[in-house]
Amino acid sequence: DMKVTQMPRYLIKRMGENVLLECGQDMSHETMYWYRQDPGLGLQLIYISYDVDSNSEGDIPKGYRVSRKKREHFSLILDSAKTNQTSVYFCASSRDTSGNTLYFGEGSRLIVV
Amino acid sequence: SQLAEENLWALSVHEGESVTVNCSYKTSITALQWYRQKSGEGPAQLILIRSNEREKRNGRLRATLDTSSQSSSLSITATRCEDTAVYFCATDYYGGSGNKLIFGTGTLLSVKP
């Protein structure tokens, strides 16, 4: 059905708590991404995964880690969340990295208080 | 600094008018993509134009690519209120362990009745 699903859609956490954002895709895409979006900054790449257990840092990886144990699932983990990690997080997938279309989820809005 | 950047932060037109969003980029590319993001949604691809193409159309949308000036434009004819969204250009570049897609900060287009 060509869908990227993100869970949860909304999350409020206290500073120092751990956060798990999950993403799934039903297209058997090799490549998956995590971006964060803040006003005026556009979409910033946090991590990219080229396949299972083949992950690479993006432009702003500090404070984040990822896990990809199955091709269809890609998780973003914040160990000890900080207030400056309040943002909207988008997961995306693409067939591969050769200039292909990215399919985005609807986003996960995280507030860290 | 941004590897891809839209030239205007915001544009406003009236329904039925035509509008053009411009983008400049800083690296050699294999393709440039245009995405649209409506409020509360994830970005969705509009057009992918490869480096050996000069123009591509998709309904009321027309994208151009000028690799000599490293610029692209997205034109929308006969705009509708539902075209109100943020428009991003995105380019691929090879960074470290693989290809990545980098987004500009976006142009907010408002289409008024």
Side-chain angles (χ1 to χ4, degrees):
Chain A
D1 195 30
M2 298 180 73
K3 194 172 176 62
V4 176
T5 303
Q6 292 185 231
M7 292 291 288
R9 293 290 314 281
Y10 303 94
L11 191 59
I12 300 176
K13 285 287 194 178
R14 297 186 186 280
M15 197 167 54
E17 291 185 329
N18 297 332
V19 177
L20 172 64
L21 301 180
E22 299 193 272
C23 175
Q25 48 100 357
D26 61 3
M27 297 167 276
S28 297
H29 283 169
E30 282 185 0
T31 309
M32 296 187 74
Y33 313 76
W34 277 106
Y35 289 87
R36 67 176 280 177
Q37 185 173 40
D38 301 291
L41 295 179
L43 290 153
Q44 298 176 275
L45 181 63
I46 306 171
Y47 267 94
I48 182 172
S49 174
Y50 297 103
D51 211 329
V52 171
D53 284 331
S54 179
N55 307 318
S56 179
E57 294 181 347
D59 297 320
I60 53 164
K62 188 177 179 182
Y64 304 94
R65 62 184 174 94
V66 292
S67 174
R68 192 162 178 209
K69 297 301 181 185
K70 293 182 180 180
R71 179 170 276 196
E72 62 269 24
H73 289 130
F74 191 34
S75 300
L76 180 69
I77 302 125
L78 289 67
D79 295 314
S80 187
K82 299 173 180 54
T83 55
N84 62 7
Q85 292 178 308
T86 292
S87 187
V88 181
Y89 292 87
F90 286 97
C91 175
S93 73
S94 65
R95 189 178 65 197
D96 52 41
T97 59
S98 303
N100 285 302
T101 302
L102 263 64
Y103 295 86
F104 282 85
E106 294 185 319
S108 294
R109 181 175 293 275
L110 170 66
I111 298 174
V112 182
V113 297
Chain B
S1 63
Q2 294 290 126
L3 293 177
E5 196 159 358
E6 298 79 6
N7 294 357
L8 282 178
W9 186 79
L11 283 171
S12 181
V13 298
H14 287 99
E15 209 170 17
E17 294 178 339
S18 297
V19 66
T20 298
V21 180
N22 295 300
C23 167
S24 57
Y25 59 92
K26 297 180 181 178
T27 64
S28 61
I29 61 172
T30 58
L32 184 140
Q33 303 184 39
W34 284 96
Y35 285 79
R36 176 176 64 192
Q37 184 180 25
K38 295 187 176 182
S39 181
E41 299 179 3
Q45 190 202 63
L46 299 173
I47 290 181
L48 184 155
I49 182 165
R50 299 202 181 272
S51 57
N52 62 352
E53 298 175 309
R54 291 296 167 259
E55 177 182 305
K56 202 154 188 184
R57 293 177 184 267
N58 178 9
R60 294 182 294 113
L61 307 175
R62 172 178 171 261
T64 65
L65 181 64
D66 184 340
T67 53
S68 62
S69 64
Q70 296 189 310
S71 64
S72 176
S73 69
L74 176 71
S75 298
I76 308 173
T77 56
T79 54
R80 304 168 183 166
C81 289
E82 53 263 38
D83 294 327
T84 293
V86 179
Y87 290 79
F88 295 96
C89 64
T91 58
D92 58 325
Y93 86 102
Y94 189 86
S97 53
N99 227 22
K100 302 177 185 180
L101 193 67
I102 301 299
F103 286 78
T105 53
T107 293
L108 174 61
L109 172 64
S110 298
V111 181
K112 300 178 180 178

